[in-house]
Amino acid sequence: MGTVAVTDDTFDAEVKQSDIPVVVDFWAEWCGPCKQIGPALEELSEEMGGKVKIAKIDVDTNPNTAAAMGVRGIPALFIFKDGEVISNRAGAAPKAALQSWIEDSI
């Protein structure tokens, strides 16, 4: 499936109105830890395709959604199910930890 790039304009349609749970990664190009977890999220997106969607939103070019979600540091990860946040975490983590968090949450 691959990760999906989301913007302030497409956030509601791609995330809140999704038929499946969505992991949203708030990130920025200059963020080292964001770049660390990027490949793991890409792999999880492929491996868990159909069960969960993984979306990435650049906080530099899409500040409104980050502000509305109260994001103060990145990477910040949120899991949405049925349009609501059901879990969130901040900071980088190994792929196995991310996968476990996602599976336990959905």
Side-chain angles (χ1 to χ4, degrees):
M1 182 179 217
T3 59
V4 178
V6 178
T7 66
D8 285 341
D9 294 333
T10 63
F11 187 81
D12 282 354
E14 288 284 353
V15 176
K16 292 189 174 182
Q17 297 167 12
S18 177
D19 294 337
I20 60 173
V22 183
V23 176
V24 180
D25 173 24
F26 288 87
W27 72 286
E29 191 62 44
W30 49 264
C31 170
C34 299
K35 289 183 177 183
Q36 283 181 316
I37 66 170
L41 291 175
E42 200 67 46
E43 288 174 21
L44 289 171
S45 175
E46 295 292 339
E47 294 167 11
M48 302 178 79
K51 287 193 287 187
V52 67
K53 179 194 303 187
I54 299 182
K56 297 174 72 71
I57 184 164
D58 185 331
V59 298
D60 287 338
T61 54
N62 301 282
N64 297 339
T65 303
M69 295 298 302
V71 173
R72 287 186 164 64
I74 54 173
L77 300 165
F78 291 80
I79 298 179
F80 283 79
K81 188 172 184 179
D82 299 323
E84 300 293 325
V85 175
I86 58 168
S87 186
N88 68 298
R89 66 181 295 153
K95 179 183 172 186
L98 293 171
Q99 183 171 358
S100 176
W101 170 65
I102 293 168
E103 289 174 346
D104 291 347
S105 298
I106 62 170

